Amino acid sequence: MKLINLINLGGPVNWVLTAMLLLCLILCIERIIYFMETFHSQNKNYLKRMQKTIEKNKSKNRKEMKKEVEKESTLLYYEMNRGMWLINFISAVAPSLGLLGTVTGLISAFKGMSNAGSQINIQDLSGGIWEAMLTTAFGMIISIPALFFYRTFKRIIEKRLMKIGLLAEEALIEE
């Protein structure tokens, strides 16, 4: 069975889920590339950015300098978190859309039952039940990896922020 046919069997909700899957896939690949590119150079780059911030604000007192370093840390935080809210959103919404597809599929099945009257045929029901099960599965297939990547990326960010904090403290002590 072709993928497009499988998506079509799941009904219109499956097309929305497919779009979410593609968007999530693009975001995860982009974040993986970002984290891999910045892995080896992260300490050097973060330290350079911190040192530049300290150099620029040398004339200020220690409290103001620390405030500027915190601003730079915040900018780095937002740089690392780019697109993360959307991955989190997809991981939360995909199961709900899967359930919406379940409901629409079951409605379709019950509509078929009511139209058939006393001449109920299992084939009349199977299309709606098939749609219901496909969208539920598809929602979970999207949600579980999205949540995994979201949590993994957040852990990487936490570790890097801890390093940034330590680097900033070291740089401030040296001054």
Side-chain angles (χ1 to χ4, degrees):
M1 182 174 287
K2 292 182 179 178
L3 183 61
I4 292 177
N5 292 340
L6 195 60
I7 294 168
N8 278 332
L9 286 172
V13 175
N14 249 13
W15 283 104
V16 175
L17 286 166
T18 300
M20 289 177 72
L21 173 64
L22 293 174
L23 178 61
C24 188
L25 186 62
I26 290 167
L27 289 167
C28 287
I29 290 170
E30 187 275 332
R31 288 288 83 191
I32 289 169
I33 291 169
Y34 169 80
F35 288 125
M36 288 176 67
E37 283 180 349
T38 58
F39 177 73
H40 293 294
S41 62
Q42 74 181 20
N43 287 346
K44 289 178 191 172
N45 289 341
Y46 297 153
L47 185 57
K48 282 179 186 175
R49 283 174 76 168
M50 289 300 164
Q51 285 172 337
K52 282 181 184 177
T53 301
I54 290 168
E55 287 295 320
K56 265 199 263 181
N57 297 288
K58 242 182 179 173
S59 61
K60 297 179 181 177
N61 67 35
R62 192 161 186 72
K63 188 175 182 179
E64 289 174 347
M65 189 185 299
K66 189 170 184 175
K67 193 174 183 178
E68 292 299 319
V69 168
E70 286 172 1
K71 280 184 191 176
E72 186 63 33
S73 296
T74 302
L75 290 173
L76 287 167
Y77 170 79
Y78 282 106
E79 180 183 311
M80 287 186 278
N81 272 287
R82 188 177 55 235
M84 294 293 292
W85 71 272
L86 202 47
I87 296 171
N88 188 33
F89 176 79
I90 290 169
S91 74
V93 171
S96 297
L97 282 174
L99 289 174
L100 175 63
T102 300
V103 170
T104 59
L106 291 176
I107 288 170
S108 174
F110 284 118
K111 182 180 176 189
M113 284 174 58
S114 71
N115 290 342
S118 63
Q119 303 295 344
I120 295 176
N121 183 347
I122 194 69
Q123 288 179 330
D124 295 334
L125 299 175
S126 64
I129 294 170
W130 179 248
E131 179 181 330
M133 295 301 105
L134 276 177
T135 55
T136 302
F138 210 55
M140 298 309 256
I141 287 168
I142 294 167
S143 177
I144 293 167
L147 185 59
F148 169 79
F149 281 107
Y150 175 76
R151 296 254 171 103
T152 301
F153 295 151
K154 283 306 234 184
R155 183 71 182 129
I156 291 168
I157 291 167
E158 286 174 11
K159 284 182 176 181
R160 288 188 178 186
L161 285 174
M162 184 183 69
K163 285 182 181 179
I164 289 170
L166 292 173
L167 290 171
E169 286 297 318
E170 285 177 23
L172 283 171
I173 290 170
E174 289 173 6
E175 290 301 314

